[in-house]
Amino acid sequence: MTVTLYIFTYAAAVTFISACAVRIVWFARAPLHLRWELYPVPHEPPARAEHGGSYFEEVDWWTRPSRFHLFGELRFMIPEILFMKGLWEFNRRLWFRSFPFHFGLYLLTGAAALMGLGGALSISDPAFAAGTLGQIIHGLCRVTGISGMALAVLGAMGLLVRRLTDHTLRIYTTPGDIFNLLFFLVTLGLSAAGYWSRSPTTPGMIALTKGLLTFDSSLEIPGLLASGLFLWALLIAYVPTTHMSHFIAKYFTYHAVRWDDAPTRRGSSLEARLAGYLTYRPTWAAAHVGADGDRTWAEVAATNPAQESKK
Amino acid sequence: MRGKIKLSDMSRSDRTPLTHVRNEDLMQLPAPLHDPAHDRGWTPLSEQTRARYECGLDGTCAVNVPQPKTKQEEEALVARFLSGLEKLFTRENNWTFLQPLLLTMEHCARCQTCSEACHIFEASGNNELYRPTYRSEIMRRLYFKHVKGGGLVSAWQHGDIGLNWSLIARLIELAYRCNLCRRCAQTCPIGADNGLVAHELRKLFSQEMGIAAKEIHDNGSMLQLKAGSSTGMNSVAVKDNVEFIDGEMTEKTGIEVKTPWDVSGADVLLIHNAGEILAWPENPGAFAVILNAAGISWTLSSEAAGYDSINYGLWYDDAQFARVAIKHAEAAKKLGVRKIVLGECGHAHKSLSVIADRVLLGDLNIPRESSMTLLRDIVVSGRIKLDPGRNDFPVTLHDPCNVVRLMGVVEPQREIIRKICPKFREMEPHGVDNYCCGGGSGFAIMSGNNFPDWRFHVSGRKKLAQILNAFRDCMEPSVPKYLCAPCSNCKGQFRDMLSYYGLWENHKILYGGLAELIVNAMTDVKPGFIEWEWH
């Protein structure tokens, strides 16, 4: 069973990375769209970003050097990513459920990273686990893992109760939405139960990670804990195939849509890309569009249906 | 029916409306319009309209889609819809918005955070049909089912929806129950955009099925491409009208006003919304007074579309949008001007400055800027003498969505008003958090059937509440009040809505542009440029 669990875990990691990569490439390769920014745009200079202003507030804006304030973006992004600031502002009731869930997952991700570090260091130094650093990592792992687990369970339960009881959500809720939350809850619950019910001889999480990294089939993993870990593997593989991969989408919705205020300058690479799109041959069927599949987008835009219909 | 509307109701094959908006359900207005019993009644749709057109949504009818006569006709329309739906998700047909549309389709968490930001949903008394995600969720389910292949797992994960002509007919109307203000998108924790969904649906209906609101297509972009302006004015008519305005302005201001036409090499090509020339001539007149007094090198163009900044394609059709934007740029190119400055028209601002930025390439890429910034520089520089005492009446400022939230021009107009209007007060919220006037995305010019009842009772209601709140300390009719709306479409909505509720007759709330306030404060001009008369 241990080997099967290892194989499952590696397969899940590969699936997760591949599915994320596919989604990233899919969005990244979509054509550059028409500008559709939404203010405030935080990379504007602070004096303008404060009131949501843009470079359009300056006379002859195109003659002035463009300024990109990375600090402004970071000042927006960090509270948004870590603390879901937008949700706090616009939907406080949901924040009390969603924030613990997401922050719990962050902590669990942190715990997994610490386990990976601890496991890797244990391979190079067999005495690592007993040493000071090993004890520190072990302690941090426990704190982040347990608190992450508790927060995520709390949040997932809150979200599930809301889905089931809030009548405004009912018509928008699919069986998949309920399943997703239950999947998280069962996975979290089973792994927590497996962790708490393990015997003193059960290998610790860092030892388990070391076993995973070295493919050590001699480790004995209790059934309940193993079930929880199996579910984690499945969950990790499942998430990027669903809308829950919004951790990827959010990069694009912000950086490539809401904050994409890059003006087109003559002779720029941006202009060259756009010129390529104008050679596409659309096939829209309405007569006034005149897109017969032969005309390019630029040719369609150069026609005048009002004049043509007069002929 | 309220509160019980389900997504599947959209497919109901009878033509009974899914909801009827009732005054008692609406968001309460502040005094003096706080009593729903005294609110204006709704005009029912005529028998003839209900018999001819698809009116199965909500008791009003914006698009007038003819009812198909046969089952075959219905099936053909459904097939056409599906073909258009597929095209929305191909790069060749929809490179213009494919990426944001995909992101919105794939990643909405259906958390409903956006709902509370929507003025239409709130004003309607939280009518489910107007929830921003209602329309999007139908679109999303159609996307997963018909574009991504569907199947049992997909239906389980994303939900299912039955597609028939009834659903499409209702969806056409529902695409015209959103002002495209994108306030909802501002609040989405993920960045999904329900306004974009309404926009893309309108595009599908127009570009594939040839269905759009008559006011914005036949009488809008098509007329503009035919005559040069959606007002129907050709270059001779527009020059005649502006000459008349010059005469009026000369008489009114006491200084010679002459509008320059087709000046090659001018610094500024000013493009007004031509509706101003006909409906609010004092606005282009005020611009002429200010620019001449400030010594700006400027001109109007008599080229087709060069004298009318409107671009209704922005709201429903990429091809029409690009055609008009190109005409604007060609007019500027022909004159060899240094820049285009957009008059007081919100959607023209966004169309030409922002959206067209990725359509106007090479020598059509002529710099465009807002008149707000140009006017701000003139006012702040001291090039014209101003006496704020002449504007000693309560003034509030409406923020056109296209100028603020969607373009980021927020402060210039405020700098002007703070300098020349001592009794200025903000609406709350304002700036990029503003509420739409309720006339956005074409509604201000859509007056068919009983649609005005809907846009005054529902889409304009939140703004109406903001206006009443801004002036709550001075509602007595002895105090004239000025609602500054630097946008033609917004002014159209205010003209109709203030009149509908008797707010000029009973409380002396007048609306108007920004340029008029500046001229009213100019000391070189005869006092009283703003005439306290309804127009």
Side-chain angles (χ1 to χ4, degrees):
Chain A
M1 187 178 69
T2 305
V3 172
T4 313
L5 179 61
Y6 290 161
I7 292 169
F8 244 76
T9 308
Y10 280 114
V14 170
T15 308
F16 179 85
I17 292 165
S18 313
C20 287
V22 165
R23 203 163 272 265
I24 290 167
V25 170
W26 185 33
F27 291 139
R29 291 187 63 185
L32 187 71
H33 49 84
L34 298 184
R35 278 173 58 182
W36 199 242
E37 69 253 34
L38 204 50
Y39 290 87
V41 170
H43 60 235
E44 283 286 347
R48 279 208 298 262
E50 193 66 32
H51 62 259
S54 71
Y55 53 78
F56 287 118
E57 290 192 332
E58 292 187 81
V59 164
D60 294 347
W61 59 265
W62 57 94
T63 62
R64 301 169 199 261
S66 59
R67 283 170 290 178
F68 184 94
H69 282 249
L70 179 63
F71 178 72
E73 280 203 356
L74 292 175
R75 208 171 64 161
F76 179 93
M77 285 162 60
I78 292 169
E80 178 60 30
I81 293 169
L82 286 180
F83 305 116
M84 307 176 80
K85 185 169 175 280
L87 202 60
W88 172 259
E89 282 173 22
F90 300 119
N91 194 344
R92 192 74 52 94
R93 279 180 305 155
L94 179 59
W95 184 90
F96 283 110
R97 294 164 168 86
S98 192
F99 170 71
F101 177 66
H102 286 89
F103 201 75
L105 294 181
Y106 293 166
L107 289 174
L108 286 168
T109 308
L114 286 168
M115 281 157 54
L117 178 68
L121 291 173
S122 299
I123 296 168
S124 57
D125 176 10
F128 167 78
T132 311
L133 185 59
Q135 290 300 309
I136 290 172
I137 290 181
H138 184 257
L140 281 173
C141 238
R142 274 177 67 92
V143 171
T144 50
I146 292 169
S147 53
M149 193 82 78
L151 281 172
V153 168
L154 204 70
M157 283 175 67
L159 289 169
L160 184 63
V161 168
R162 179 174 179 258
R163 279 270 161 215
L164 295 172
T165 58
D166 187 338
H167 73 278
T168 59
L169 293 180
R170 199 165 296 155
I171 69 167
Y172 303 96
T173 299
T174 67
D177 292 329
I178 305 296
F179 171 82
N180 293 342
L181 288 167
L182 282 173
F183 197 173
F184 269 100
L185 271 174
V186 171
T187 304
L188 288 161
L190 212 56
S191 45
Y195 181 76
W196 289 114
S197 66
R198 74 196 189 285
S199 70
T201 57
T202 304
M205 296 314 287
I206 291 178
L208 270 177
T209 313
K210 183 184 171 192
L212 176 70
L213 294 172
T214 56
F215 230 80
D216 179 0
S217 59
S218 67
L219 291 184
E220 293 281 336
I221 307 171
L224 197 57
L225 182 59
S227 308
L229 295 175
F230 268 119
L231 280 183
W232 268 115
L234 283 174
L235 184 62
I236 286 166
Y238 172 69
V239 164
T241 66
T242 70
H243 75 81
M244 292 185 288
S245 54
H246 50 243
F247 53 89
I248 295 169
K250 201 161 173 170
Y251 171 82
F252 290 98
T253 54
Y254 277 75
H255 295 273
V257 183
R258 284 175 71 154
W259 299 346
D260 177 11
D261 61 349
T264 308
R265 301 198 188 265
R266 286 193 202 180
S268 63
S269 58
L270 183 66
E271 190 182 58
R273 265 178 89 181
L274 294 165
Y277 303 149
L278 299 187
T279 65
Y280 286 163
R281 296 177 194 281
T283 56
W284 292 104
H288 75 272
V289 181
D292 54 10
D294 288 331
R295 281 176 176 161
T296 63
W297 209 94
E299 286 164 346
V300 167
T303 58
N304 185 338
Q307 298 296 334
E308 283 174 14
S309 63
K310 275 203 300 191
K311 287 175 190 170
Chain B
M1 185 60 74
R2 271 203 63 236
K4 294 177 185 168
I5 297 172
K6 302 186 292 294
L7 296 168
S8 57
D9 288 336
M10 287 286 281
S11 321
R12 255 178 29 197
S13 52
D14 64 279
R15 289 197 161 93
T16 318
L18 301 185
T19 190
H20 278 288
V21 183
R22 300 176 307 179
N23 286 349
E24 57 267 37
D25 295 330
L26 300 174
M27 178 197 85
Q28 193 179 24
L29 286 169
L33 302 176
H34 55 289
D35 184 359
H38 290 102
D39 203 343
R40 293 280 301 264
W42 292 63
T43 313
L45 283 174
S46 70
E47 279 295 326
Q48 195 184 36
T49 300
R50 282 190 283 129
R52 274 192 195 168
Y53 303 113
E54 294 290 356
C55 309
L57 188 73
D58 57 357
T60 186
C61 186
V63 190
N64 281 359
V65 179
Q67 294 176 9
K69 292 184 178 59
T70 63
K71 196 78 191 155
Q72 287 76 13
E73 208 181 316
E74 278 190 13
E75 285 166 5
L77 285 163
V78 172
R80 198 115 181 225
F81 172 81
L82 282 173
S83 151
L85 185 67
E86 203 164 303
K87 287 175 191 175
L88 270 189
F89 294 94
T90 62
R91 57 199 297 139
E92 289 75 16
N93 283 295
N94 200 25
W95 66 268
T96 48
F97 286 100
L98 180 61
Q99 190 191 49
L101 183 60
L102 281 175
L103 288 162
T104 294
M105 287 295 102
E106 291 278 336
H107 288 288
C108 171
R110 299 183 285 265
C111 68
Q112 312 304 338
T113 301
C114 53
S115 302
E116 287 172 32
C118 175
H119 59 290
I120 292 178
F121 180 63
E122 185 185 348
S124 72
N126 296 354
N127 190 312
E128 199 60 40
L129 199 60
Y130 305 135
R131 189 186 285 279
T133 48
Y134 185 89
R135 177 190 307 108
S136 303
E137 186 58 19
I138 288 164
M139 171 79 157
R140 189 170 293 108
R141 290 182 181 202
L142 292 170
Y143 161 75
F144 281 111
K145 186 170 184 176
H146 296 284
V147 179
K148 293 204 80 178
L152 283 177
V153 175
S154 173
W156 169 83
Q157 195 172 46
H158 306 294
D160 196 11
I161 189 95
L163 177 63
N164 57 14
W165 167 247
S166 300
L167 179 139
I168 296 167
R170 290 190 174 102
L171 204 50
I172 293 169
E173 280 293 326
L174 196 53
Y176 287 85
R177 298 292 185 278
C178 167
N179 284 120
L180 309 184
C181 77
R182 297 177 66 214
R183 200 171 189 273
C184 58
Q186 221 175 15
T187 65
C188 177
I190 289 163
D193 190 338
N194 296 297
L196 176 70
V197 173
H199 177 271
E200 294 299 285
L201 279 168
R202 290 183 184 192
K203 181 198 294 182
L204 185 168
F205 297 130
S206 176
Q207 295 186 184
E208 187 69 8
M209 303 173 77
I211 296 171
K214 191 176 180 175
E215 294 90 341
I216 62 174
H217 183 67
D218 295 339
N219 302 341
S221 66
M222 288 298 272
L223 184 56
Q224 189 173 18
L225 289 168
K226 182 180 172 187
S229 165
S230 63
T231 60
M233 282 190 292
N234 60 21
S235 60
V236 177
V238 76
K239 279 183 159 179
D240 271 357
N241 281 320
V242 170
E243 193 182 336
F244 177 76
I245 293 170
D246 284 348
E248 289 276 293
M249 291 300 118
T250 301
E251 194 178 316
K252 199 169 171 179
T253 60
I255 53 176
E256 178 72 21
V257 178
K258 179 86 182 144
T259 293
W261 282 96
D262 299 320
V263 180
S264 290
D267 203 36
V268 168
L269 167 62
L270 177 66
I271 315 185
H272 291 294
N273 176 321
E276 299 277 351
I277 294 165
L278 296 181
W280 302 289
E282 62 283 358
N283 181 270
F287 265 94
V289 172
I290 297 165
L291 298 186
N292 287 344
I296 303 289
S297 155
W298 70 290
T299 185
L300 297 187
S301 164
S302 62
E303 277 294 302
Y307 52 89
D308 188 357
S309 64
I310 74 125
N311 192 342
Y312 294 162
L314 174 74
W315 301 320
Y316 78 104
D317 191 304
D318 289 347
Q320 296 290 86
F321 166 78
R323 286 163 177 156
V324 172
I326 288 169
K327 288 207 170 294
H328 288 144
E330 281 174 342
K333 183 180 148 190
K334 188 173 175 185
L335 289 174
V337 296
R338 195 170 70 82
K339 64 183 174 185
I340 297 171
V341 170
L342 292 150
E344 295 186 18
C345 178
H347 90 276
H349 265 70
K350 190 179 77 167
S351 293
L352 206 57
S353 305
V354 181
I355 313 288
D357 189 49
R358 292 184 180 167
V359 173
L360 302 175
L361 309 183
D363 57 4
L364 289 180
N365 188 358
I366 294 155
R368 285 93 61 196
E369 86 179 15
S370 166
S371 54
M372 305 292 118
T373 56
L374 181 63
L375 292 175
R376 184 264 317 271
D377 272 28
I378 292 170
V379 167
V380 171
S381 69
R383 272 184 277 175
I384 52 176
K385 288 184 188 136
L386 298 159
D387 174 13
R390 290 190 175 191
N391 285 336
D392 193 26
F393 43 81
V395 174
T396 192
L397 174 67
H398 164 66
D399 284 304
C401 305
N402 286 307
V403 175
V404 289
R405 182 165 38 255
L406 307 178
M407 192 174 160
V409 177
V410 182
E411 268 300 300
Q413 56 273 42
R414 290 184 157 71
E415 287 178 49
I416 295 169
I417 291 189
R418 284 196 288 260
K419 193 172 166 68
I420 63 171
C421 299
K423 292 184 177 168
F424 171 56
R425 69 275 311 280
E426 289 277 15
M427 295 187 198
E428 293 301 335
H430 56 265
V432 292
D433 299 322
N434 75 319
Y435 283 104
C436 172
C437 64
S441 81
F443 291 1
I445 53 165
M446 289 164 62
S447 296
N449 303 310
N450 58 359
F451 192 66
D453 282 329
W454 188 86
R455 72 178 160 96
F456 305 143
H457 277 103
V458 183
S459 67
R461 196 172 191 84
K462 193 72 190 174
K463 179 54 68 178
L464 185 60
Q466 281 194 292
I467 297 166
L468 295 174
N469 282 330
F471 291 133
R472 67 182 175 279
D473 62 328
C474 54
M475 282 302 283
E476 55 275 21
S478 56
V479 181
K481 296 161 277 288
Y482 193 89
L483 164 59
C484 178
C487 167
S488 298
N489 279 284
C490 302
K491 279 196 294 198
Q493 168 76 355
F494 291 138
R495 175 191 56 204
D496 298 347
M497 188 163 66
L498 296 180
S499 170
Y500 189 80
Y501 285 109
L503 291 170
W504 165 250
E505 292 87 342
N506 301 322
H507 299 282
K508 288 290 174 284
I509 300 178
L510 189 68
Y511 69 96
L514 179 63
E516 293 93 307
L517 277 174
I518 298 173
V519 175
N520 199 55
M522 284 173 69
T523 53
D524 294 341
V525 164
K526 282 197 279 188
F529 182 80
I530 291 176
E531 293 170 359
W532 294 94
E533 288 172 359
W534 187 248
H535 50 272

